[in-house]
Amino acid sequence: MSLTWHTGNVIRIVNETSNTRRYWIEVPDMQAFDFEPGQFVTIDMPIHEKPNKRWRSYSIASWPDGSNVFELVIVLLEGGAGTTWLFNEVKEGDQLTFRGPQGKFTLPEPIDRDLFFICTGTGIAPFRSMAHHILNHNIVHQNIYLIFGCRKLTDNLYGKELEELSEKVTSFQYLPTYSREVPENYNHLIRTGYVHSIYEEIIRANSLHANDGPATVKPAYFYLCGWKNMIDEAKQRIQDLGYDRKTIHLELYG
């Protein structure tokens, strides 16, 4: 965990959706920016006199590749001083002051159970990092379910990339769902609704049925990242299904 402040160069900015941008940041004082998938960095922005009111933390969306570049994906929050500054003031070639990597929202060792990555919006960032890291390094794992909730098809972050990954790797399933779309418009080719029905359906289908007793749930780890309402509801639903709260790990936004 690094508490040292560094200067990063913004080498690329891409609009991912109408209100979401990807930022690539190079760290010139490092040969390699080493981190664990799931960790975050904190950016110091010139938006307030008090340091703790200038800091904003973002999960790293890329995966460790031996380079000194990492990626962030950031949504513009209405009335948010930090993201307003990033979107309006920061351009390619500018510098950012940041510290990190930090955080303990990281993969279990070993990965001896199914992984449920459940997220909304830019909460997909750490799970993109984790999934690529596992698969790039052939880390032994069970099934991986990345369940991503957003409003519209146009809000889908990294959709094509993750679909292609799921087609290549049978143990990885990418399961997006859209709360503001109408399935009839897409010949039922998309999921609509919220994330909860998806993991509940998978868990029930995978439950272990004993000959002389009730079904028991298959062991799993649950990682939740996104808005508080989703996380609160998911925590309760997962425990109601029979899982211990120690199997649930979370990263809260907002």
Side-chain angles (χ1 to χ4, degrees), residues 94-105:
D94 287 350
Q95 294 184 327
L96 294 175
T97 301
F98 77 95
R99 71 180 182 190
Q102 294 174 260
K104 297 180 179 180
F105 187 70

Side-chain angles (χ1 to χ4, degrees), residues 97-162:
T97 301
F98 77 95
R99 71 180 182 190
Q102 294 174 260
K104 297 180 179 180
F105 187 70
T106 53
L107 289 165
E109 295 182 10
I111 307 174
D112 55 359
R113 305 180 183 183
D114 288 352
L115 289 175
F116 284 83
F117 295 152
I118 304 167
C119 55
T120 51
T122 54
I124 199 170
F127 302 140
R128 177 187 186 236
S129 177
M130 290 177 180
H132 278 283
H133 180 73
I134 292 169
L135 302 174
N136 287 344
H137 293 275
N138 295 314
I139 295 171
V140 175
H141 62 279
Q142 307 297 311
N143 295 308
I144 303 171
Y145 304 98
L146 200 170
I147 303 169
F148 172 52
C150 58
R151 293 182 177 182
K152 306 283 284 185
L153 277 167
T154 51
D155 299 324
N156 192 341
L157 300 173
Y158 305 114
K160 183 178 179 181
E161 169 194 312
L162 294 170

Side-chain angles (χ1 to χ4, degrees), residues 26-46:
E26 182 182 51
V27 192
D29 65 351
M30 295 182 181
Q31 281 195 322
F33 182 72
D34 294 322
F35 63 95
E36 290 186 62
Q39 290 190 304
F40 64 87
V41 296
T42 299
I43 299 176
D44 186 2
M45 307 180 187

Side-chain angles (χ1 to χ4, degrees), residues 11-243:
I11 60 172
R12 188 183 179 201
I13 300 173
V14 170
N15 290 323
E16 181 72 359
T17 70
S18 61
N19 66 342
T20 309
R21 284 184 185 170
R22 299 166 66 181
Y23 294 79
W24 283 263
I25 299 167
E26 182 182 51
V27 192
D29 65 351
M30 295 182 181
Q31 281 195 322
F33 182 72
D34 294 322
F35 63 95
E36 290 186 62
Q39 290 190 304
F40 64 87
V41 296
T42 299
I43 299 176
D44 186 2
M45 307 180 187
I47 56 175
H48 202 279
E49 294 179 358
K50 294 182 178 179
N52 63 343
K53 293 186 180 293
R54 297 199 306 259
W55 299 344
R56 299 291 188 274
S57 296
Y58 301 100
S59 293
I60 301 169
S62 51
W63 49 93
D65 62 1
S67 77
N68 64 345
V69 177
F70 64 92
E71 179 187 335
L72 304 176
V73 59
I74 298 173
V75 62
L76 177 62
L77 298 176
E78 186 175 349
T83 57
T84 297
W85 179 77
L86 280 170
F87 274 61
N88 290 347
E89 304 298 331
V90 175
K91 307 291 187 294
E92 291 181 0
D94 287 350
Q95 294 184 327
L96 294 175
T97 301
F98 77 95
R99 71 180 182 190
Q102 294 174 260
K104 297 180 179 180
F105 187 70
T106 53
L107 289 165
E109 295 182 10
I111 307 174
D112 55 359
R113 305 180 183 183
D114 288 352
L115 289 175
F116 284 83
F117 295 152
I118 304 167
C119 55
T120 51
T122 54
I124 199 170
F127 302 140
R128 177 187 186 236
S129 177
M130 290 177 180
H132 278 283
H133 180 73
I134 292 169
L135 302 174
N136 287 344
H137 293 275
N138 295 314
I139 295 171
V140 175
H141 62 279
Q142 307 297 311
N143 295 308
I144 303 171
Y145 304 98
L146 200 170
I147 303 169
F148 172 52
C150 58
R151 293 182 177 182
K152 306 283 284 185
L153 277 167
T154 51
D155 299 324
N156 192 341
L157 300 173
Y158 305 114
K160 183 178 179 181
E161 169 194 312
L162 294 170
E163 285 174 7
E164 290 175 351
L165 193 61
S166 67
E167 290 170 0
K168 293 177 184 176
V169 183
T170 56
S171 59
F172 174 70
Q173 291 190 44
Y174 170 60
L175 304 165
T177 184
Y178 306 94
S179 61
R180 301 285 178 88
E181 293 287 6
V182 179
E184 287 78 7
N185 294 343
Y186 302 94
N187 297 318
H188 301 278
L189 295 177
I190 64 168
R191 296 174 188 83
T192 57
Y194 297 96
V195 295
H196 310 293
S197 61
I198 298 177
Y199 61 78
E200 288 178 333
E201 180 181 329
I202 294 168
I203 290 165
R204 291 190 177 110
N206 290 346
S207 293
L208 308 174
H209 294 273
N211 293 329
D212 55 354
T216 58
V217 291
K218 184 181 179 183
Y221 295 113
F222 297 87
Y223 283 73
L224 315 177
C225 191
W227 294 108
K228 183 178 185 300
N229 289 346
M230 182 279 286
I231 287 179
D232 287 346
E233 185 171 348
K235 281 195 300 182
Q236 188 59 55
R237 286 178 179 244
I238 291 165
Q239 290 177 81
D240 289 345
L241 287 164
Y243 288 95

